Amino acid sequence: MADNENALRAMQNCFHSQFSVDEAEYEDIEENRRTSVEEDSIYLGCTLSQSFNPDIHHSPVIKMGWLHKTPPQGTLVFQKRWVMLDAQYLRYFQNEKEVYSKRIIAILSVTKVLNVGGQKFEVVTRNRTFLFRAENNTVREEWVSVLKETIQQHCNSMEKSLMNSSDTCGQRASRVSLISKQGYLEMSGLRSKLYVVICADSVFLCRNAEEHSQGVGITSIEMNLGAVKGTDKRSFNLTTIYRTFSFVAESEQQREQWVEALQACVSHSLSSNAVAQKIWSEEANQRCADCGAPHPDWASVNLCVVLCKCCAGVHRGLGQSVSKVRSLKMDENAWTENQLFLLLGNDKVNLFWAANIPPSEMLCPSSDSEERQRFVTAKYCQGKYRCYHALFGQQEALNKALCNTIQTGDVLETLSLVFCGADVNCYTGDPELPSPVSVAQHYGQTLQVEFLTHNHNTELPGSRAGDHTILEAALPISHTGYLFKTASSTRAVTERKSKGDFSRRWCSLNQGNFSYYESEKSSSQSGQMKMSDVLCLVVNPQGKHGYGHSFELYHDSGRVYLFGEDSPDTVREWIKVIGKALVPPVAEDLVGWSFERVGRLRYTAGQSFHCPCLGWFSLGGSRLLLLLHGEDQVDNIDLRKLQELSMEQEAAAVVLVDRGRRLRLEGDRRPDYQGWLSGIQQGLGRGDGPLDQQQLTETEVPVIVDRCISYITQHGLKSEGIYRRCGVNSKIAALLLSLRHDARQLSVKERECPSTRPSSTASPQSTEPLWGLSSTTSTDENQMNMHNLAIVFGPTLFQTDGTDNSAGQVVEELIQNYQDIFNVNAEQLQRQLDMISHVIKAQEEHAEEGTPSPLTICGIYLERKEEGSELLVQISQAVSAEELVCEVLRRGNIPPQQGDYWSCFLVNDNQEMERPLHYQERALAIYFSLGKDCHLVVKRNCYMEAMLIYIAAMVDVSRNSMIKFSDEKGQRGKRTFSRRLCVLDGTSLRLYKEVKSTQPERECQVHALKVYYGIKKRLQPPSCWGMTVVCEQAERDKQQWYLCCESKNELIKWLATFMNLQVVSFCVTETYSTFLSSLFDFFFSFSFFI
């Protein structure tokens, strides 16, 4: 008796917080319990009869609330308990927040419910009586009534079931068969064992077998929230989201049996026959598409075949890029739609996949694993048995046929086209419906959309056979060793993981397969992934997680795996071998350096915005290495020199512009995309890092230095104590903030600077020595000789405290000998001195402080923006664009040629557009208004001759026609061009939605228009004959319209009309005909300029 009491008290200590049993209930109750199991025993968890349906096993709650309860020995000490009733069980808990009950009572074990007075009632079972007390009589009557009604309904259900059953013994056997395993187990913290029962999709904990047989227990655990893992030879853990139960079996063999039974219980709890039964309703789906085995319960959602378990295992081994395998029973949430399998069926699909199978190579249900592997690989990876489409090998024809077929419901034809080479991501030719998916959606073909979506990244048959494919398998690499691993997740690991979150695993990399085991001696894998399915390898910073060194693997299925170790050598070796196993041999340079992440991404480049390709990328610091599709050499991008970086939030893409090359990286909703984006942004060189991590010009000069030096050279040489004198603190702070945010995009007014205005007029070639030369040429005014400059810059450049003058001496020698150090010849030196003299002269003549100087040195490019093409030209406020062109051509030694038409263009690199300045526009005003990535370039106007011919033949200065139009909304992700009626006359530019429209959709006065050649490529214009119209009718009302013509001839006519009207707007004091006549005389007399 004492031993039983001690054991029960120990059990109470274990369950005290979640499903503990009342202290008094641990007293001996053998006198109230039957001494043996009677014939009509009610087994807990087995009261559902043979009509058991797992989908309705978890019954909804009928009633719940607070009740007071007494222990079984009749003491009057009532304890408050939260009581819950459903159709099968009556449970009570410590409180309403607890998950696991203190007691569970099967409804069929209740013989009667009695009112006993004093707001109390009894629930009587075969072996004991439970006494409850309500808050008042009304609540008590509700509980008694509901309990009686529930018991009666359950009894009626059981009687009906018995009437349909041949005998009672069969009924009992059916119920007992729901139990997959039962027996005694030790539980951590208890001296006595618990009786554990695995029944259907739940686990029941009871004190002993007798209690279970009478329909009473401690609690139940729903296994749809459980996970089972062995921890030792005899012990294992059952983990739910609420707590972990630790059990110990009698032997290692018993432990294996319990673990296997519990894992089967978890699978059973997550499974459902609903999807399988529906797909099996198509008779062809009742047998495996590969071997013919009956009742296949797996499927490949992208290949559209239903498979048995054995064949599904082989498909899974091919990787997600070939076959996306799903269970018909386990992956119910993935089967929101299954009409595709009902429409096609295995027989129809095999008309394509299995059209030419030799009888000797066919599979049967008894085929071994090697035969299955060989057959499935030949069938789906090589396409050996497929029915070749008539257009096979004709890429353009396949794509065109695909775009036509997806407008219909013929999914089988679509399947044949796709797996014979049609590109599911091809450009359809319609900018409003650019992809096949968008076309299918437009025509309401939901099954076509489903099929195309599943095959967005599918590896086509035969693609693995090529020697130079971008997904070519790496050389076989083997490596083994222990690592610590966390549970995989579907999101990037952003939170710090402690050592307690890791489990030690024996890891093996062999023949392109990465596997991990519980220990070195384990024969069964805990997990496996093919390296061909790994999208990205990420090396974490030291100390990010509990283990000092760690790395992450991003899988094609969306799972993220984190591994770690304290030994840097161990992790470094694993990163090395995984990197080599991940990338193809031609891309080994991607992993041969200290990268932060490496993997493959879809991208578009150049004009191919509608045809994404797959490439390999490696990122570390400010370097981005890449191997693009069709190339055999790794390229290198210095992120610090990027001309532009922009994000497309809706499309989850990032656009990089480097040396005129545009690269758009797609995220594809992958968990590693944000990591790529963050790494690229950090590599740009923004922020307060050292100079070697800042943004750079093309000549390797930090942009922040280039901006400041150019500014001081232009405006600060006459300032006393320049470089030593402090400016206004608030302006310094604002300027520093702008420089840190993005020095390349900095464009501020002079009044916003601490003393003067930054500019970009200094020649990039002269930046390095200019800071010394510029100041020393005005020593008398600014008091900054070489020695003083060295005192200022020495401690700054060498990061010293200034107490030691050795740094200053070094800097002084650098200034004194900069010609030799920076390889500056006499001609370059004289050019710099002349430029500085001009600047100083202009400043001396400057009468009013704070206004533009009457003479300014401006950097103008000749023909194109490139190294060595910039000319420094003196510009006054009165200089026109015509005079500027003449001066640049004179400085460039370019004689006039008959038929050449030269213009000064304002070029915006960021917007990818340019406009020729009207020859009467004031050049200096335009120059001072330049911002961000703008510059002036003098070059030939290729459209001018054709425009003049068109103008000469014009009768009326107006034009109207249908044109493709988009506005600034395209920059936010819509990117759609729609047809509009465009009308241009002497007063305004008007856009009408339709020809019949009477009110314009948009309107802008002619005098507020500026017309640029070109449209941003990332807006995906439908043709290359586009123009950007900037409408600025008010100071804060600026709009950009994008107009796209169908031909070059149409574009010339529109540009000529705009130019003609612009001529009129500049000449309001003369009659149009008089001015136009003089204009043509000028053009044809000096045809080298406009």
Side-chain angles (χ1 to χ4, degrees):
M1 186 78 72
D3 290 340
N4 284 339
E5 183 176 353
N6 291 336
L8 294 176
R9 289 186 184 278
M11 184 185 296
Q12 181 194 26
N13 293 333
C14 175
F15 298 125
H16 72 282
S17 63
Q18 292 176 314
F19 51 90
S20 58
V21 182
D22 298 339
E23 182 176 355
E25 291 179 8
Y26 285 114
E27 298 178 2
D28 183 26
I29 59 172
E30 292 298 326
E31 60 187 41
N32 295 322
R33 182 181 298 141
R34 304 192 178 199
T35 56
S36 61
V37 181
E38 299 179 2
E39 279 190 11
D40 58 347
S41 297
I42 306 292
Y43 286 89
L44 182 65
C46 302
T47 57
L48 300 180
S49 82
Q50 61 186 11
S51 61
F52 170 74
N53 184 345
D55 294 334
I56 62 170
H57 177 53
H58 310 299
S59 303
V61 175
I62 298 174
K63 186 173 179 58
M64 58 184 174
W66 288 103
L67 291 173
H68 292 81
K69 174 195 166 295
T70 59
Q73 292 305 311
T75 175
L76 297 179
V77 179
F78 281 85
Q79 298 169 329
K80 195 174 183 181
R81 294 288 180 261
W82 180 257
V83 184
M84 188 179 296
L85 172 68
D86 59 39
Q88 313 228 4
Y89 301 106
L90 177 68
R91 299 177 174 90
Y92 58 86
F93 304 78
Q94 183 76 22
N95 55 59
E96 75 276 17
K97 296 181 180 180
E98 297 296 337
V99 176
Y100 299 110
S101 62
K102 296 171 68 65
R103 214 70 167 127
I104 179 172
I105 308 163
I107 291 300
L108 279 187
S109 70
V110 180
T111 57
K112 54 186 174 181
V113 181
L114 302 173
N115 282 318
V116 293
Q119 303 169 5
K120 292 179 286 187
F121 65 93
E122 291 181 344
V123 177
V124 182
T125 69
R126 290 179 173 83
N127 65 332
R128 62 171 293 182
T129 298
F130 298 87
L131 179 62
F132 296 94
R133 185 181 69 187
E135 293 292 333
N136 51 59
N137 287 331
T138 302
V139 175
R140 181 192 64 179
E141 291 300 327
E142 290 177 358
W143 273 101
V144 171
S145 175
V146 169
L147 279 166
K148 288 182 177 179
E149 183 179 353
T150 302
I151 294 170
Q152 185 60 46
Q153 289 178 352
H154 211 144
C155 289
N156 293 340
S157 175
M158 292 297 295
E159 288 177 3
K160 184 177 180 180
S161 178
L162 287 172
M163 291 175 61
N164 295 328
S165 177
S166 58
D167 57 22
T168 304
C169 294
Q171 165 83 3
R172 187 188 308 275
S174 176
R175 284 184 284 164
V176 174
S177 66
L178 293 174
I179 297 177
S180 58
K181 188 168 181 61
Q182 57 186 323
Y184 285 95
L185 286 173
E186 296 179 17
M187 186 166 174
S188 179
L190 294 180
R191 284 187 291 179
S192 60
K193 297 181 179 180
L194 290 180
Y195 193 73
V196 182
V197 181
I198 304 175
C199 179
D201 55 359
S202 297
V203 173
F204 294 88
L205 304 183
C206 307
R207 295 178 188 170
N208 48 51
E210 291 79 11
E211 186 178 81
H212 168 255
S213 67
Q214 296 300 328
V216 179
I218 300 173
T219 192
S220 65
I221 305 168
E222 304 300 337
M223 293 299 287
N224 61 331
L225 302 176
V228 186
K229 181 173 67 173
T231 57
D232 205 347
K233 290 184 177 181
R234 294 194 302 123
S235 59
F236 60 93
N237 288 343
L238 169 57
T239 304
T240 70
I241 61 174
Y242 305 108
R243 68 157 291 171
T244 297
F245 303 86
S246 298
F247 297 103
V248 180
E250 294 182 354
S251 65
E252 187 173 356
Q253 182 180 5
Q254 280 289 317
R255 188 208 72 158
E256 294 295 334
Q257 294 176 1
W258 276 103
V259 169
E260 183 179 351
L262 287 168
Q263 289 175 340
C265 182
V266 172
S267 299
H268 186 275
S269 67
L270 297 174
S271 65
S272 170
N273 283 328
V275 173
Q277 292 293 344
K278 189 170 184 179
I279 289 181
W280 290 342
S281 64
E282 167 60 40
E283 185 177 356
N285 293 332
Q286 294 179 13
R287 292 192 173 275
C288 174
D290 290 342
C291 72
H295 298 104
D297 52 2
W298 294 81
S300 174
V301 294
N302 64 313
L303 303 179
C304 300
V305 290
V306 185
L307 307 164
C308 67
K309 183 177 180 180
C310 295
C311 292
V314 179
H315 275 254
R316 193 180 294 277
L318 298 178
Q320 292 277 336
S321 60
V322 176
S323 182
K324 297 178 175 66
V325 182
R326 301 289 184 270
S327 170
L328 302 186
K329 296 183 177 180
M330 300 291 293
D331 300 331
E332 185 176 6
N333 293 334
W335 293 94
T336 53
E337 298 289 343
N338 46 40
Q339 295 297 323
L340 191 59
F341 286 84
L342 298 179
L343 173 69
L344 297 176
N346 282 347
D347 288 348
K348 291 181 181 179
V349 175
N350 270 337
L351 291 177
F352 171 76
W353 285 117
N356 303 297
I357 301 180
S360 59
E361 297 183 21
M362 294 184 66
L363 283 186
C364 62
S366 60
S367 298
D368 60 29
S369 58
E370 291 186 4
E371 291 174 330
R372 292 178 194 272
Q373 180 72 43
R374 185 166 51 251
F375 176 83
V376 171
T377 302
K379 183 178 180 181
Y380 301 103
C381 291
Q382 301 171 11
K384 183 178 179 180
Y385 313 123
R386 60 183 160 168
C387 177
Y388 284 91
H389 198 278
L391 299 175
F392 181 79
Q394 306 174 46
Q395 189 63 56
E396 292 186 6
L398 284 169
N399 293 348
K400 186 175 180 180
L402 175 65
C403 295
N404 293 330
T405 303
I406 56 178
Q407 302 174 22
T408 70
D410 193 350
V411 183
L412 187 61
E413 175 68 8
T414 302
L415 182 144
S416 176
L417 287 166
V418 168
F419 288 107
C420 281
D423 185 2
V424 298
N425 302 303
C426 68
Y427 180 49
T428 62
D430 185 349
E432 296 186 3
L433 302 171
S435 66
V437 171
S438 61
V439 172
Q441 290 173 335
H442 176 74
Y443 285 92
Q445 299 296 335
T446 56
L447 295 184
Q448 297 278 21
V449 172
E450 181 182 351
F451 175 78
L452 293 174
T453 303
H454 285 316
N455 287 285
H456 179 63
N457 293 314
T458 297
E459 187 177 333
L460 298 181
S463 62
R464 289 190 174 183
D467 293 332
H468 302 288
T469 176
I470 196 69
L471 288 175
E472 179 187 353
L475 297 175
I477 296 174
S478 299
H479 190 69
T480 57
Y482 276 105
L483 285 172
F484 293 88
K485 175 188 175 295
T486 63
S488 63
S489 65
T490 56
R491 297 181 180 180
V493 185
T494 55
E495 298 180 355
R496 175 181 171 83
K497 297 291 185 181
S498 65
K499 286 190 174 182
D501 296 322
F502 288 80
S503 300
R504 192 167 184 250
R505 291 290 180 265
W506 175 258
C507 300
S508 171
L509 176 62
N510 187 34
Q511 298 296 322
N513 293 313
F514 183 85
S515 310
Y516 47 92
Y517 306 78
E518 287 190 14
S519 68
E520 184 178 0
K521 298 180 180 179
S522 299
S523 58
S524 59
Q525 298 173 349
S526 299
Q528 179 186 11
M529 67 186 88
K530 295 177 69 67
M531 295 308 300
S532 59
D533 292 335
V534 175
L535 299 176
C536 182
L537 164 64
V538 177
V539 182
N540 290 319
Q542 184 176 352
K544 180 179 180 180
H545 298 292
Y547 286 95
H549 304 270
S550 59
F551 63 90
E552 300 167 19
L553 296 175
Y554 288 79
H555 194 265
D556 190 26
S557 64
R559 309 297 298 182
V560 183
Y561 300 84
L562 173 62
F563 298 87
E565 238 289 354
D566 279 331
S567 170
D569 293 336
T570 300
V571 174
R572 191 181 302 114
E573 186 62 25
W574 272 108
I575 291 171
K576 178 181 177 181
V577 297
I578 290 176
K580 287 186 177 182
L582 178 63
V583 303
V586 70
E588 277 199 28
D589 289 345
L590 296 179
V591 295
W593 65 297
S594 300
F595 62 87
E596 295 169 5
R597 62 178 57 235
V598 62
R600 62 180 189 261
L601 292 168
R602 298 188 71 85
Y603 73 93
T604 55
Q607 299 291 337
S608 305
F609 290 101
H610 306 289
C611 300
C613 300
L614 203 60
W616 288 95
F617 297 83
S618 178
L619 175 65
S622 60
R623 292 180 64 195
L624 178 65
L625 304 185
L626 57 152
L627 179 69
L628 301 182
H629 180 74
E631 297 183 3
D632 56 4
Q633 288 187 346
V634 172
D635 198 0
N636 179 27
I637 293 179
D638 190 338
L639 297 176
R640 296 171 300 175
K641 295 183 180 180
L642 278 186
Q643 297 173 347
E644 179 188 351
L645 178 74
S646 58
M647 274 72 69
E648 300 176 5
Q649 299 294 345
E650 294 184 10
V654 57
V655 179
L656 291 73
V657 179
D658 171 60
R659 293 170 291 183
R661 174 177 60 179
R662 179 174 296 275
L663 201 64
R664 181 176 181 269
L665 307 182
E666 299 181 357
D668 287 336
R669 305 184 183 277
R670 288 167 33 175
D672 63 323
Y673 168 69
Q674 285 300 325
W676 282 104
L677 177 59
S678 176
I680 291 173
Q681 289 176 324
Q682 292 175 11
L684 290 179
R686 299 173 182 173
D688 56 356
L691 284 179
D692 63 350
Q693 297 177 12
Q694 291 289 327
Q695 292 172 308
L696 298 178
T697 65
E698 286 298 323
T699 52
E700 307 289 338
V701 178
V703 175
I704 188 171
V705 173
D706 180 66
R707 295 289 188 265
C708 294
I709 296 296
S710 300
Y711 163 70
I712 291 174
T713 303
Q714 185 77 4
H715 299 284
L717 296 181
K718 303 289 289 186
S719 301
E720 182 179 349
I722 191 67
Y723 295 118
R724 293 182 78 171
R725 231 172 116 188
C726 295
V728 180
N729 288 338
S730 59
K731 291 187 176 182
I732 291 175
L735 178 61
L736 184 60
L737 183 63
S738 299
L739 288 170
R740 286 175 174 173
H741 176 67
D742 192 352
R744 197 181 303 279
Q745 303 297 328
L746 179 64
S747 177
V748 297
K749 307 297 182 184
E750 185 173 349
R751 63 179 179 272
E752 296 172 347
C753 290
S755 56
T756 44
R757 172 186 178 274
S759 73
S760 57
T761 60
S763 173
Q765 308 94 291
S766 63
T767 300
E768 299 92 335
L770 195 57
W771 61 269
L773 175 65
S774 302
S775 299
T776 54
T777 54
S778 304
T779 303
D780 294 339
E781 289 82 2
N782 59 37
Q783 302 299 316
M784 294 300 292
N785 54 30
M786 285 189 291
H787 180 70
N788 289 339
L789 284 172
I791 293 175
V792 173
F793 282 97
T796 303
L797 293 175
F798 291 95
Q799 299 292 300
T800 63
D801 57 6
T803 57
D804 185 4
N805 64 352
S806 58
Q809 291 176 354
V810 174
V811 173
E812 188 171 348
E813 290 185 13
L814 286 173
I815 298 174
Q816 191 170 6
N817 301 286
Y818 82 95
Q819 281 186 259
D820 296 329
I821 295 173
F822 294 103
N823 195 25
V824 178
N825 57 37
E827 183 181 350
Q828 290 175 313
L829 174 62
Q830 189 59 47
R831 184 165 172 254
Q832 292 175 3
L833 292 173
D834 291 343
M835 185 191 70
I836 294 169
S837 299
H838 286 304
V839 172
I840 295 173
K841 182 179 179 181
Q843 290 178 347
E844 289 175 347
E845 296 174 356
H846 185 33
E848 184 179 358
E849 186 177 357
T851 60
S853 302
L855 189 64
T856 303
I857 304 299
C858 300
I860 309 297
Y861 292 94
L862 180 58
E863 295 196 273
R864 63 184 62 85
K865 183 182 178 181
E866 61 184 14
E867 186 175 349
S869 67
E870 186 183 29
L871 298 175
L872 299 177
V873 182
Q874 302 178 54
I875 301 179
S876 68
Q877 292 183 354
V879 172
S880 65
E882 172 193 353
E883 294 169 329
L884 177 61
V885 171
C886 291
E887 176 63 18
V888 169
L889 293 178
R890 185 188 66 80
R891 293 281 302 278
N893 296 320
I894 299 178
Q897 299 287 336
Q898 184 67 30
D900 280 351
Y901 297 92
W902 291 82
S903 294
C904 181
F905 284 82
L906 189 162
V907 180
N908 189 320
D909 291 327
N910 182 38
Q911 298 292 322
E912 300 178 51
M913 61 185 188
E914 60 184 21
R915 75 174 181 91
L917 301 184
H918 185 274
Y919 76 95
Q920 290 184 344
E921 283 190 79
R922 299 305 176 192
L924 190 61
I926 298 295
Y927 185 81
F928 277 116
S929 68
L930 295 179
K932 294 188 177 179
D933 295 321
C934 297
H935 61 275
L936 296 180
V937 59
V938 173
K939 62 179 181 178
R940 293 176 177 85
N941 192 327
C942 61
Y943 295 143
M944 184 53 61
E945 184 174 4
M947 289 165 60
L948 291 175
I949 294 174
Y950 178 76
I951 292 174
M954 289 181 67
V955 177
D956 184 21
V957 189
S958 65
R959 179 165 180 78
N960 65 83
S961 68
M962 297 300 292
I963 199 166
K964 290 291 184 71
F965 161 79
S966 183
D967 58 10
E968 290 181 304
K969 292 180 180 179
Q971 295 177 332
R972 296 192 288 268
K974 287 190 176 180
R975 301 200 191 103
T976 57
F977 280 77
S978 305
R979 294 181 65 83
R980 293 289 187 272
L981 175 63
C982 185
V983 178
L984 175 64
D985 56 28
T987 59
S988 64
L989 172 66
R990 301 181 298 279
L991 296 173
Y992 296 86
K993 194 168 186 178
E994 297 177 351
V995 176
K996 299 180 181 179
S997 301
T998 57
Q999 294 295 325
E1001 185 181 32
R1002 288 173 174 78
E1003 183 175 8
C1004 184
Q1005 300 301 311
V1006 169
H1007 66 80
L1009 292 176
K1010 290 182 180 178
V1011 182
Y1012 292 80
Y1013 303 174
I1015 299 177
K1016 273 197 282 192
K1017 292 185 179 66
R1018 72 178 181 188
L1019 296 182
Q1020 303 176 3
S1023 78
C1024 60
W1025 314 113
M1027 51 188 168
T1028 300
V1029 178
V1030 178
C1031 177
E1032 193 168 3
Q1033 304 192 83
E1035 183 177 354
R1036 295 188 177 181
D1037 182 18
K1038 182 177 180 181
Q1039 302 179 42
Q1040 286 191 190
W1041 302 345
Y1042 305 99
L1043 306 178
C1044 207
C1045 303
E1046 294 182 354
S1047 66
K1048 179 180 178 179
N1049 188 44
E1050 182 184 4
L1051 174 65
I1052 289 174
K1053 292 178 181 180
W1054 276 105
L1055 293 176
T1057 307
F1058 276 115
M1059 188 188 78
N1060 213 351
L1061 291 171
Q1062 186 185 35
V1063 167
V1064 176
S1065 67
F1066 269 91
C1067 308
V1068 295
T1069 58
E1070 301 184 48
T1071 64
Y1072 171 69
S1073 58
T1074 302
F1075 181 81
L1076 190 59
S1077 176
S1078 62
L1079 177 66
F1080 273 87
D1081 290 340
F1082 177 82
F1083 285 159
F1084 291 105
S1085 298
F1086 304 95
S1087 62
F1088 66 92
F1089 166 73
I1090 180 165

